Amino acid sequence: MLVLSCSTKLLILEKILKSHFPESLKVYGAVMNINRGNPFQKEVVLDSWPNFKAVITRRQKEAQTDNLDHYTNAYAVFYKDVRACQQLLEEQGVINWDQVFQIQGLQSELCDVSKAVASSKQLDVKQTSFKAVRLSPVATLPDTRFLMRPSPQLTYLSVADADLLNRTWSRGGNEQCRRYIASLIACFPSVCVRDDQGNPVSWSITDQFATMCHGYTLPEHRRKGYSRLVALTLARKLQSRGFPCQGNVLDDNVSSISLLRSVHAEFLPCRFHRLILSPAALSGQVQL
């Protein structure tokens, strides 16, 4: 195991990962954030350097953590050799197996490898698979003059909005998620539409892997063009900072898939896989 801390080598890694799109997108997004101030206190672990075969991004060990917070306790994985990936996962000190955490990536063999290692350590595993998408460069934004009146106030989220986002996120509804969302809002780009009272009615945020997520519009404000406006504005904001515009969508989320197609998003040949792993001692306490 090698923790890559040299800033020059991290920039080289960023360039290498870019040559392995789309499978490397999650690790690439995390490494980009590390190289731009590291607001989420991440670090990179590899099997070797410079000719690595597997790379994992994880939370820095000195960062404050909650053992039940699988949102924050997240690892992104990219590998060139699946055997090297398994060996890195199994190596002492790479993964904190005593907490609830998630492993994610865009390579199918990651699921079997992670489950095999988790089984040997008697962890419960919940797996979810998504369509992976990437947005093309956004040249122009929708003209808000053609949206239903009154015209929306297009702005960004504040940490004070975390409670609302926690209540409306299908993955949320608990204190760990609320804190995680607040951290994302504080650290990364977001976009929202606010009503006349200044309350968010439509929004999207960016996660620790530079992925657009939690795109949501309150039911009473749907079919007004807000979701499209928010998605394209956030995509353009990310692109202006050099980030790829990536996202994930469940296969049965028909409305989001329709929106993505309407903005000519590219549905990638690989799928996004997220595994949430829980030690037996904590499985009764975690909210998945």
Side-chain angles (χ1 to χ4, degrees):
M1 176 187 74
L2 171 67
V3 177
L4 197 67
S5 56
C6 171
S7 59
T8 301
K9 292 178 180 178
L10 284 166
L11 287 170
I12 293 171
L13 175 62
E14 182 180 317
K15 293 179 181 178
I16 295 172
L17 291 169
K18 192 170 185 178
S19 69
H20 291 280
F21 280 3
E23 289 83 3
S24 64
L25 271 167
K26 300 302 174 185
V27 172
Y28 177 80
V31 171
M32 281 196 74
N33 281 324
I34 291 172
N35 288 335
R36 288 152 183 80
N38 199 14
F40 220 73
Q41 297 178 277
K42 291 283 200 176
E43 64 184 9
V44 174
V45 179
L46 311 95
D47 62 324
S48 61
W49 180 263
N51 299 315
F52 67 89
K53 295 180 180 178
V55 55
I56 297 174
T57 63
R58 68 183 186 186
R59 185 86 160 167
Q60 291 176 336
K61 290 193 173 182
E62 59 269 26
Q64 184 175 2
T65 59
D66 174 349
N67 283 339
L68 297 178
D69 183 5
H70 60 84
Y71 307 94
T72 303
N73 306 330
Y75 300 76
V77 179
F78 169 71
Y79 56 83
K80 302 175 185 177
D81 182 323
V82 68
R83 290 171 297 180
C85 175
Q86 181 163 348
Q87 290 170 1
L88 188 58
L89 288 171
E90 291 173 334
E91 191 168 339
Q92 181 72 26
V94 173
I95 304 292
N96 183 351
W97 300 99
D98 295 324
Q99 61 182 196
V100 184
F101 64 95
Q102 64 170 282
I103 294 176
Q104 59 172 258
L106 291 158
Q107 294 164 286
S108 59
E109 291 172 304
L110 175 63
C111 299
D112 291 337
V113 168
S114 299
K115 287 178 180 178
V117 179
S119 177
S120 70
K121 298 181 179 295
Q122 299 181 316
L123 271 70
D124 296 327
V125 180
K126 178 185 177 182
Q127 177 186 343
T128 313
S129 180
F130 304 73
K131 292 180 184 294
V133 299
R134 185 167 54 179
L135 274 69
S136 302
V138 179
T140 58
L141 297 176
D143 191 335
T144 58
R145 292 177 301 176
F146 295 96
L147 296 176
M148 295 181 65
R149 292 297 186 259
S151 294
Q153 179 190 0
L154 188 63
T155 181
Y156 50 85
L157 292 162
S158 75
V159 172
D161 300 316
D163 286 337
L164 173 62
L165 271 68
N166 183 35
R167 293 196 304 270
T168 53
W169 201 3
S170 59
R171 296 180 57 205
N174 57 76
E175 178 58 21
Q176 285 82 13
C177 186
R178 189 200 64 77
R179 290 200 308 263
Y180 175 64
I181 290 173
S183 295
L184 295 184
I185 293 171
C187 292
F188 305 120
S190 66
V191 171
C192 77
V193 172
R194 296 183 184 273
D195 63 15
D196 292 341
Q197 285 74 47
N199 301 311
V201 299
S202 182
W203 58 80
S204 185
I205 58 178
T206 313
D207 74 7
Q208 55 190 304
F209 306 104
T211 303
M212 296 169 62
C213 64
H214 194 9
Y216 189 85
T217 300
L218 296 177
E220 62 270 27
H221 291 276
R222 292 174 185 171
R223 300 186 181 279
K224 298 179 180 179
Y226 292 170
S227 294
R228 179 185 177 89
L229 176 63
V230 165
L232 291 177
T233 303
L234 181 56
R236 193 173 186 184
K237 183 180 290 190
L238 288 169
Q239 288 164 355
S240 71
R241 301 183 183 191
F243 286 85
C245 297
Q246 55 171 317
N248 320 305
V249 60
L250 288 166
D251 294 86
D252 60 357
N253 192 338
V254 177
S255 59
S256 291
I257 291 173
S258 177
L259 170 63
L260 289 164
R261 285 179 174 153
S262 74
V263 298
H264 308 293
E266 174 190 4
F267 287 82
L268 302 175
C270 51
R271 291 181 63 83
F272 169 63
H273 305 283
R274 183 180 67 225
L275 299 96
I276 299 177
L277 300 90
S278 308
L282 300 177
S283 59
Q285 304 174 50
V286 64
Q287 298 184 52
L288 302 179

